[in-house]
Every structure is written in structure tokens, then in C-alpha cells.
Amino acid sequence: MSDFPNFTNYGYQIKRELGQNRAGGRVTYLATEINTQRSVVVKQFQFARTGASWSEYDAFEREIQVLRGLDHPSIPHYLDSFQTPAGFCMVQEYKDAPSLASSRRYQPQAIKQIAISVLEILKYLQSQMTPVIHRDLKPENILVDERLNVFLVDFGFARTGGGEVAASSVVKGTLGFMPPEQMFNRHLSAASDLYSLGATLICLLTNTLSTEVGTLVDDAGRINFKQRVPKLTPGFIEWLQKMVEPNVRQRYANAAEALDALIPLQVLRPVEIPKVPVVAAGLLAVVVALCVPVVMKFSAPEVEPDKVGEVTFTAEPIPARNSVSFSVKIHPNTQKIQTIGTCGLFDQSGTLVAKSQSQLQVGKDGLLSASCSYDDLQKLGYPNGQWTFKFYVDGKKAVQENFTVLGPEDEHCKCDIRPEKPNPQGKGI
């Protein structure tokens, strides 16, 4: 017999427990909505069975109030609430994604992408007519799925208010992730959540558990981490340091400012590439039947084409995923090269419509390899015609190849590759 509460009279069937805070009288369950069979999250405040204070119940009411006013794809929507003899329950969308507090490890470039996604969410919260400050941003409250989609949860401590938020009678948050102004119950601002995000990112980059974040804090109350991240660029380290400045006036003023500063930054320092004998490689020109890339707002890289080494380029459609994958192999002609390459897709007018970055891996043969893929391309319906793929390394264009975009037929994307004669000289651009 299950020990889970019976919520069938309210339209929900409990499947398993997701988490709990017994001291606060809160238990979170994964459940099925009986009428729709969709998965949902049920948060129960067990005020009738525990010694939880009414301030905890107030947090539940506050979370409902805040969530009702929000509509963002990265914030699980409020769906329902009901009261039982044992407690009060709130129902939210379920996101099948572990939190950043799980055992999963992320590469620095992926951590930058997570930071960008969280800043986009904070930017949305801060742009509301009545700005929202989360107040409990930490690894446990950030969910990330396999595709690096990010979700922000647990708005129980959130506060709303224009400009700065007045201090409350009770300090709420998580030690180690609370900025000093929150710890000392002072006025909060848009910069307060930035400190918490910075501390979270530093934990990820240094492989520090959220429960051990205090080990990063020195006697002056400053988070010390630089010696633990020797592979990061000075620019990215400076950005992180500004995020966690104890003095709120020395941080970025808001999420929009922090985001603008982060996007152009390189994350990893260049690496030394050992000398190996030159290996000739052909440059393959292709025609790809491709169902249009995802549109993103970026500026085209303003660099002069330059040769970075011998290059091999291939493209492979993946019909099952309505996607195409581009692969690049480079024999570098320099001892030092960036470990991150930039992929760009340009339409027939020369406009950059998709951009991504790819980690360059060094093989045993000394060649650098990278790949970029674009998924779910059939949905946007962009015009057919000649498109261009470009790949940049260390500010230099290594690949520029044209291909053809063929539109979907009857809601299906037909992808194909027709190789043309390879370049026999195997030279890069």
C-alpha cells in the first residue's frame, strides 16, 4: 500500500516524491492529472501534521500570487491549488529536467549557455511592471534538461516591488547564495539575484557542492575562486567576479547589463597544439536539402578571411530529427589556437540566421575536430535557395561552403547530400 497521500478526489494521482523540506512542512510530488494524463508537480504544505510556522504557509501563498502573474516558457506555469485535511496544495507544470545540484557535470562553455538562459529569465522578471526578485536562486532551483533548456523554479521567497524591495522582518534565502544585502536584511534590487547566480556558476565551474559553497568564501566575505579555474579567460573571470561583488554598487545593475557583458566573452584560454606532420585533407563542397535553421538575433562576425590550416568539411542530414550536422577537421598551422569554434548559417542575402559555438577536440593525430548541428528545422518554413555555412577559429574563417535549402513537402522534411568533386589540394580558406 502506498504511503503517498490520496489526491484522486482532487483530480491527481501521486506517482512519486520529488523532494521534501520536513522542517518547513513542504513535500513535492510528481503526479498525473487524471483527466488529461499529463504529468504535473504537486507541492503540499503539511501545516496540519508538522510544527511548520505560518510564515511557511505565507510562502506558499506568495508563490501562487507571483506565478499567476508570470508567463515565460522557462518558468513552470501555475495550474491549480486545493486544500486537504492534511495541508494546502499547489499544482504546477512538470519539467523533466534535473537540477544543477545533481551529479551531472558541465563543460565551461555549457555553463556559459546556462548563465545566458538564466539571465534571460531574470531579465523577464525584472522587466515586469512590478519587478520580481527571486531571492533563492541556487543550483537546486535551476533545472537543466539534456538539450540545455533551463527552467527556474521555487518562487516561495520571491518578492515584488518597483525599483528596490524593502527589507522584511525575516531574512529568507540560502546561506552562501544570498548577497550581503539579503543576509543583513537590507533593501534588495535587481543586482541581488545576480550575486546568487554568480555563486551558482562558480560552484559549477569549481565542482563545488552547493552545501559546501561556504568553503569558497574568505574571512572578508568574498568568494575566492580564481585559483580553481586556471583554464578560464581573464575576461570571463572578471565577469564572474563582478557578479559576486559584496558591494551591490560594484555589481552589474541588472540582468540585461550582465547579459550584454557576457555574450561576447570567450570562456576558455587558448591551448597549446603539438606539432605533427602535415596531413593533406580535401575540402568537400556539398548540396544539402535542409529544412531551415532556427532564427537567432546575432551580428555577423566581422573578421577577415584567413587560412588557419588544412581543413576537411562534411555535412550530414539526419532526417529522423529534421536536422543537419556539419563537421569540421582542421590541421592547425599554429602552435596556439582557441578551443572554441564558431559556426554560422547565412541565408541568400548574407544575413546570419543561426550561430552556435562548438568545442574543438584534439585527436591523437593532432587534428582538431568540431561539429555543429541544427535540429527541428522543418517548422519555420524559410525560403528555399542558396545558403552558406561558415566556421571561424581564433577570429579566422576556416570554412565557407554553400548549400541548398529545400522546403518541406507535406509537413515532412526531405534531407539529402549530393557531394561534388572534392578540392584535390586540400587547402583551407
Side-chain angles (χ1 to χ4, degrees):
M1 185 174 179
S2 173
D3 293 330
F4 298 143
N6 186 352
F7 293 152
T8 55
N9 289 339
Y10 305 96
Y12 303 98
Q13 179 69 52
I14 300 299
K15 297 170 67 176
R16 61 185 173 91
E17 184 177 300
L18 293 175
Q20 59 177 276
N21 180 354
R22 296 295 184 188
R26 289 176 290 168
V27 185
T28 303
Y29 300 101
L30 174 63
T32 300
E33 188 176 39
I34 296 174
N35 288 339
T36 64
Q37 289 300 300
R38 66 173 170 175
S39 294
V40 297
V41 170
V42 176
K43 289 185 176 182
Q44 183 185 37
F45 176 71
Q46 299 175 325
F47 59 85
R49 295 186 181 179
T50 69
S53 67
W54 281 105
S55 65
E56 298 290 345
Y57 178 75
D58 290 341
F60 253 63
E61 287 191 320
R62 184 185 306 110
E63 184 167 13
I64 291 175
Q65 180 182 1
V66 170
L67 290 174
R68 277 178 167 166
L70 300 177
D71 184 14
H72 191 281
S74 294
I75 300 174
H77 288 91
Y78 164 84
L79 300 175
D80 189 16
S81 60
F82 56 91
Q83 187 168 333
T84 72
F88 183 83
C89 297
M90 180 185 72
V91 184
Q92 276 185 277
E93 282 185 311
Y94 171 67
K95 300 298 184 181
D96 186 13
S99 78
L100 290 179
S102 68
S103 58
R104 183 178 177 184
R105 294 289 177 260
Y106 297 90
Q107 294 297 319
Q109 187 61 34
I111 293 172
K112 177 187 174 181
Q113 295 304 315
I114 291 170
I116 289 174
S117 297
V118 176
L119 286 170
E120 291 283 7
I121 301 171
L122 294 180
K123 183 178 175 181
Y124 165 78
L125 295 175
Q126 295 170 9
S127 69
Q128 299 303 293
M129 185 172 294
T130 303
V132 178
I133 298 178
H134 189 276
R135 291 208 306 168
D136 198 22
L137 209 157
K138 58 183 179 180
E140 286 80 357
N141 290 337
I142 300 173
L143 312 183
V144 181
D145 68 14
E146 293 181 354
R147 291 175 174 262
L148 285 187
N149 294 312
V150 175
F151 308 97
L152 183 60
V153 300
D154 200 344
F155 282 73
F157 292 161
R159 297 286 298 277
T160 60
E164 295 188 344
V165 176
S168 63
S169 58
V170 180
V171 175
K172 294 183 178 180
T174 301
L175 288 175
F177 297 96
M178 286 191 292
E181 65 269 22
Q182 187 173 344
M183 289 180 61
F184 295 107
N185 203 17
R186 297 170 183 163
H187 290 282
L188 304 181
S189 69
S192 299
D193 279 342
L194 299 186
Y195 182 98
S196 305
L197 174 58
T200 296
L201 297 173
I202 290 169
C203 282
L204 294 178
L205 290 162
T206 59
N207 290 327
T208 301
L209 297 176
S210 59
T211 53
E212 298 176 1
V213 64
T215 61
L216 300 174
V217 181
D218 62 20
D219 293 340
R222 183 180 293 273
I223 296 180
N224 271 325
F225 66 96
K226 295 180 181 179
Q227 70 279 7
R228 302 194 186 197
V229 288
K231 295 183 179 180
L232 300 186
T233 62
F236 189 47
I237 290 176
E238 289 174 8
W239 182 87
L240 287 166
Q241 189 65 66
K242 189 167 183 177
M243 290 284 284
V244 294
E245 281 292 338
N247 187 337
V248 64
R249 293 182 179 85
Q250 294 178 2
R251 281 179 233 145
Y252 296 104
N254 50 51
E257 184 178 310
L259 183 62
D260 289 342
L262 172 62
I263 286 176
L265 295 179
Q266 290 285 345
V267 176
L268 295 173
R269 295 175 182 267
V271 295
E272 295 292 331
I273 305 298
K275 288 184 178 181
V276 295
V278 174
V279 177
L283 185 61
L284 179 64
V286 298
V287 177
V288 182
L290 172 65
C291 292
V292 300
V294 177
V295 176
M296 300 174 68
K297 295 181 179 179
F298 288 102
S299 299
E302 296 180 359
V303 298
E304 292 295 326
D306 196 0
K307 182 178 177 181
V308 298
E310 308 297 333
V311 179
T312 300
F313 165 73
T314 58
E316 177 185 3
I318 309 173
R321 286 167 39 196
N322 299 309
S323 68
V324 65
S325 175
F326 298 97
S327 299
V328 178
K329 279 198 173 186
I330 301 173
H331 183 288
N333 60 4
T334 177
Q335 285 281 63
K336 186 174 289 188
I337 195 168
Q338 294 285 347
T339 59
I340 297 295
T342 300
C343 306
L345 242 55
F346 298 79
D347 64 15
Q348 48 268 64
S349 68
T351 301
L352 178 63
V353 294
K355 180 182 177 182
S356 61
Q357 291 184 311
S358 178
Q359 185 88 26
L360 286 163
Q361 305 290 340
V362 183
K364 294 181 179 179
D365 55 4
L367 298 180
L368 294 174
S369 62
S371 63
C372 303
S373 62
Y374 301 91
D375 295 338
D376 299 326
L377 304 175
Q378 71 177 22
K379 299 178 181 179
L380 299 180
Y382 272 76
N384 307 346
Q386 292 295 316
W387 292 60
T388 303
F389 171 81
K390 298 180 183 180
F391 188 78
Y392 294 83
V393 180
D394 199 15
K396 300 178 177 64
K397 185 165 58 178
V399 170
Q400 176 172 324
E401 280 299 319
N402 296 326
F403 57 93
T404 301
V405 174
L406 303 182
E409 300 178 7
D410 300 327
E411 300 182 355
H412 294 286
C413 175
K414 295 183 177 180
C415 299
D416 190 16
I417 292 182
R418 296 194 295 276
E420 297 178 0
K421 185 178 180 180
N423 183 344
Q425 296 180 356
K427 292 184 178 180
I429 295 175

